Amino acid sequence: MKQKHHYGDSYELEVYQEFYQQRARLAYSCKSALQNGEVRFDSMSGDSWEYLVSHQWEESFDFAVFAKRPHSEARWFLDKFYHFHLTHFKRHIFPNEQHELRLDEVSVIRPGERLSYGIDPINWCRAIYWALAYNDMQSIAWLDQFDEQSMDMSGVAQIHMAEFNIVKAILNPQERDLVAAIKAYMQVDVTALSELESRVAADVLLFRRSVHLPRIDCLLSVFCHEDEQTYQQKMLDALDKFAECAHKMDKAGEPFPEFALDLVGLARVAYSGKGYLIPDHPYLPQWLITEDLTDITPPPEPESIPTF
């Protein structure tokens, strides 16, 4: 049975199921490696195993959706993505402490460490957006300790710092000037590139105009209390631009482009706080906004997943 993919291509359902079976197998292998002490953490000084694996959990969510697995099963992968991403930042922000990393019933202790990769303002904003999605105020409180002195500034552009400063002001409006942060954002030269970005300027500028800027517009719409119609227009515009960007950047013919997951937290804040709800969108399923993110089910044993 062929199904229409959310950006236009058609694939047999069993193709998605086979890929998902591989991802479920990877999840079980990861749990086994942690349980048996087989992960080579010591080979990644300055880098973060948690950060690396968090991306695998995020990608596995996509496969679960395309394979038409239950929502609770797809959310299991988001739960793992979020907690691994949090542990990544916790190890960096609190380098002198020990931190628990859990994968369901398996628990390991990870030492704090000043990391040198994946601790930039964009990844921090992602952590905040997902903490908002899970209504995790406790994590937001300690994430707010992250500042310019503790971040990796290589590859950081003006627009990244503008979003970072707006989010910081929203988290603590009593001590930070949101109006000043917004004014500074309005003065940013969107075409200004960091040295690293200049090597792939066309893709960076496309992503910036299609993903970063619309996301900031949605952020301001939610927290500056715009009306429901304006909010919906900005969210749908952001999603349509995300879809357009996915089409243009899909040079390798990958059948699994990402969902617009960084908008989930903002959409859930608008829904829970004001009742604002955007229509179901191919790049942001409505159930991610309305259903309980903590209602999760682990994937079954890989061999029990039907692939026809």
Side-chain angles (χ1 to χ4, degrees):
M1 182 186 77
K2 283 194 174 184
Q3 62 173 353
K4 196 75 171 178
H5 189 276
H6 68 283
Y7 77 110
D9 288 345
S10 297
Y11 292 85
E12 297 288 344
L13 177 60
E14 52 262 38
V15 172
Y16 296 105
Q17 291 173 327
E18 287 175 3
F19 275 102
Y20 179 67
Q21 185 185 59
Q22 295 174 16
R23 289 297 171 137
R25 188 173 290 115
L26 181 65
Y28 277 86
S29 296
C30 182
K31 183 185 294 187
S32 175
L34 280 175
Q35 193 166 29
N36 297 320
E38 297 171 351
V39 178
R40 288 292 306 277
F41 294 118
D42 58 347
S43 65
M44 304 189 70
S45 180
D47 204 340
S48 166
W49 183 81
E50 292 83 4
Y51 180 71
L52 175 66
V53 177
S54 71
H55 289 287
Q56 297 177 6
W57 297 131
E58 185 178 18
E59 292 168 358
S60 296
F61 165 82
D62 297 351
F63 287 83
V65 176
F66 300 148
K68 296 186 178 299
R69 302 300 300 175
H71 294 174
S72 62
E73 197 172 306
R75 285 191 294 264
W76 183 89
F77 291 99
L78 285 184
D79 176 81
K80 303 303 168 272
F81 155 74
Y82 174 56
H83 286 96
F84 274 55
H85 196 71
L86 274 188
T87 304
H88 165 71
F89 269 95
K90 189 176 289 186
R91 291 183 60 219
H92 176 75
I93 295 174
F94 305 105
N96 299 319
E97 299 179 13
Q98 301 290 309
H99 307 285
E100 183 184 39
L101 176 67
R102 294 194 65 86
L103 181 51
D104 291 345
E105 73 280 4
V106 178
S107 173
V108 297
I109 298 300
R110 301 286 287 125
E113 178 185 355
R114 283 295 189 185
L115 302 169
S116 56
Y117 187 74
I119 42 98
D120 54 85
I122 292 300
N123 276 298
W124 177 84
C125 286
R126 294 199 79 200
I128 292 294
Y129 294 146
W130 276 101
L132 290 172
Y134 283 96
N135 194 29
D136 185 0
M137 296 299 109
Q138 183 177 5
S139 292
I140 286 177
W142 62 257
L143 280 167
D144 193 31
Q145 299 182 41
F146 186 69
D147 55 24
E148 290 187 46
Q149 285 68 46
S150 58
M151 70 174 63
D152 173 17
M153 294 298 292
S154 61
V156 174
Q158 296 176 23
I159 188 65
H160 303 151
M161 288 307 303
E163 183 175 11
F164 172 80
N165 289 326
I166 288 173
V167 173
K168 290 284 280 188
I170 287 171
L171 294 182
N172 193 347
Q174 290 78 26
E175 297 184 10
R176 301 173 188 138
D177 192 339
L178 178 58
V179 173
I182 294 173
K183 287 181 177 178
Y185 160 64
M186 299 301 291
Q187 299 300 315
V188 167
D189 178 3
V190 179
T191 63
L193 302 173
S194 69
E195 182 179 350
L196 290 176
E197 290 177 325
S198 63
R199 301 172 188 173
V200 285
D203 285 349
V204 168
L205 291 175
L206 171 64
F207 196 79
R208 189 171 292 176
R209 293 191 175 101
S210 302
V211 178
H212 286 165
L213 294 178
R215 183 174 64 226
I216 295 174
D217 283 346
C218 294
L219 171 69
L220 294 175
S221 181
V222 171
F223 287 98
C224 292
H225 308 292
E226 292 186 331
D227 62 80
E228 184 172 11
Q229 182 178 3
T230 303
Y231 160 76
Q232 289 181 337
Q233 288 174 346
K234 289 187 175 181
M235 285 291 287
L236 291 175
D237 178 66
L239 288 167
D240 289 343
K241 287 178 177 175
F242 185 98
E244 181 181 359
C245 181
H247 281 282
K248 291 180 179 178
M249 296 189 74
D250 183 33
K251 298 173 183 176
E254 289 290 337
F256 305 106
E258 298 176 353
F259 290 96
L261 294 179
D262 289 344
L263 294 177
V264 172
L266 300 178
R268 289 183 68 90
V269 169
Y271 178 65
S272 63
K274 307 175 185 179
Y276 294 178
L277 183 62
I278 58 173
D280 194 60
H281 192 282
Y283 279 84
L284 184 56
Q286 198 175 73
W287 58 266
L288 278 174
I289 304 171
T290 59
E291 295 182 9
D292 182 2
L293 288 180
T294 64
D295 177 15
I296 61 176
T297 305
E301 292 287 344
E303 300 311 318
S304 69
I305 297 174
T307 57
F308 300 99

